[in-house]
């Protein structure tokens, strides 16, 4: 589904250039959930923007379904750290926005939007405005909006980092269920090792800048995963400890 071949990215500055990523070779299979972790400034968000077609690579190529990514694609949705909801539009109208932009029929789109809203536990809030919702609820709306057009690829840039721990756990559970029901290829950028282990099939560890792939860790634990069940919690903690060790080793 997604392929990066020898991808490097440099940004020009007045005093020269800064290399954010160097020689990235990575693949994500159809329906796979991949998490990317690393220290601040290692190029995680840049990697996501390259896949989304928001910035071009300096060297190498990014492919999606065998075709070069040259700009944003309609089958790829991006969920950022902040929900970025339109403040004058209701929950329902925010979720409907991608369908409206695509010129899709209102009745069928409305039915799908209401189904997503219900799936995310937002029944009764369809007509509320964003300022009337908590941060976690706003991010649920943003996730509904991202899934509205059934994207083949969902790119997530630290979507839960601004939320409290309990809300993050709730949204991680929702995301696992949503991915089972709508199996898009997901690439998640996160600072949270625990979040990566909980959600991903594979975790990519980047080195400090310029970001290179330090290692890729397979997470073969059964789904759904939860930190509240004793047996699973122990296994998740063990894999998280392995990841922490890899991150520390990448600094040496």
């Amino acid at each position: 589904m997604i392929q990066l071949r020898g991808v490097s990215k440099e940004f020009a500055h007045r005093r020269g250039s800064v290399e954010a990523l160097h020689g990235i070779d990575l693949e994500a299979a159809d329906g796979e959930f991949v998490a990317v972790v690393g220290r601040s400034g290692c190029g995680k968000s840049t990697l996501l923007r390259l896949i989304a077609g928001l910035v071009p690579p300096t060297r190498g190529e990014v492919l999606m379904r065998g075709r070069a990514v040259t700009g944003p694609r309609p089958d790829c949705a991006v969920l950022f750290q902040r929900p970025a909801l339109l403040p004058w539009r209701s929950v329902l109208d925010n979720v409907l926005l991608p369908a409206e932009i695509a010129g899709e029929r209102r009745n069928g789109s409305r039915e799908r939007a209401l189904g997503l809203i219900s799936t995310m536990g937002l029944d009764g809030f369809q007509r509320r405005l964003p300022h009337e919702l908590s941060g976690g609820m706003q991010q649920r709306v943003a996730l509904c909006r991202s899934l509205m057009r059934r994207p083949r690829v969902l790119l997530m840039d630290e979507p839960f980092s601004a939320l409290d721990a309990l809300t993050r756990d709730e949204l991680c559970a929702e995301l696992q269920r949503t991915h089972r029901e709508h199996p898009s290829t997901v690439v998640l950028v996160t600072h949270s090792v625990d979040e990566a282990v909980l959600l991903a099939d594979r975790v990519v560890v980047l080195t400090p800048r310029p970001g290179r792939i330090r290692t890729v860790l397979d997470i073969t634990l059964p789904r759904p995963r939860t930190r509240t069940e004793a047996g699973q919690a122990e296994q998740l903690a063990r894999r998280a400890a392995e990841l922490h060790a890899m991150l520390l080793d990448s600094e040496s």
Side-chain angles (χ1 to χ4, degrees):
M1 166 60 80
I2 300 171
Q3 294 175 300
L4 287 84
R5 297 176 177 170
V7 170
S8 298
K9 180 61 182 178
E10 296 178 4
F11 293 97
H13 293 276
R14 285 181 296 177
R15 298 182 180 179
S17 63
V18 174
E19 189 174 32
L21 293 168
H22 181 82
I24 300 295
D25 291 304
L26 179 66
E27 294 189 8
D30 197 8
E32 187 177 17
F33 198 127
V34 176
V36 182
V37 300
R39 294 296 182 95
S40 295
C42 71
K44 298 187 300 296
S45 293
T46 298
L47 180 64
L48 209 69
R49 283 160 172 74
L50 285 164
I51 297 171
L54 300 176
V55 295
T58 305
R59 290 179 295 279
E61 60 180 351
V62 181
L63 304 172
M64 197 173 293
R65 302 188 73 82
R67 296 184 178 182
V69 174
T70 58
R73 296 169 52 108
D75 59 351
C76 177
V78 185
L79 184 63
F80 295 106
Q81 180 177 345
R82 298 189 179 279
L85 303 177
L86 298 179
W88 60 88
R89 293 179 69 114
S90 67
V91 166
L92 177 59
D93 287 339
N94 265 289
V95 176
L96 280 169
L97 185 61
E100 290 180 15
I101 292 172
E104 294 179 356
R105 201 164 50 84
R106 175 82 182 186
N107 288 344
S109 297
R110 189 174 188 277
E111 184 176 330
R112 172 158 174 77
L114 289 171
L116 286 168
I117 289 168
S118 177
T119 295
M120 287 294 161
L122 292 168
D123 278 329
F125 292 90
Q126 293 92 331
R127 294 298 174 190
R128 297 288 183 91
L129 294 173
H131 76 269
E132 299 177 286
L133 307 177
S134 68
M137 294 172 76
Q138 289 182 30
Q139 199 63 298
R140 288 171 192 255
V141 176
L143 182 55
C144 289
R145 183 179 59 188
S146 297
L147 296 171
M148 183 62 200
R149 299 196 65 217
R150 297 180 175 87
R152 290 182 177 272
V153 175
L154 178 60
L155 307 175
M156 310 179 76
D157 192 357
E158 301 191 60
F160 309 142
S161 62
L163 305 176
D164 64 86
L166 182 57
T167 302
R168 287 177 71 150
D169 284 347
E170 290 174 348
L171 282 175
C172 282
E174 291 288 354
L175 182 57
Q176 287 189 75
R177 184 169 55 80
T178 301
H179 188 242
R180 290 198 305 273
E181 296 173 359
H182 310 277
S184 304
T185 302
V186 180
V187 181
L188 168 71
V189 162
T190 178
H191 274 99
S192 171
V193 167
D194 292 336
E195 193 171 275
V197 170
L198 183 67
L199 294 171
D201 300 307
R202 288 188 299 144
V203 181
V204 177
V205 180
L206 294 184
T207 66
R209 193 173 64 198
R212 297 178 173 87
I213 294 180
R214 165 68 175 80
T215 192
V216 179
L217 180 67
D218 292 322
I219 310 295
T220 57
L221 303 177
R223 297 180 183 276
R225 300 171 188 163
T226 175
R227 285 190 283 264
T228 59
E229 195 274 315
Q232 269 205 341
E234 183 179 346
Q235 295 180 70
L236 289 168
R238 188 179 304 118
R239 301 318 298 272
E242 290 179 46
L243 262 180
H244 276 295
M246 291 177 188
L247 285 167
L248 290 172
D249 185 53
S250 72
E251 292 290 303
S252 59

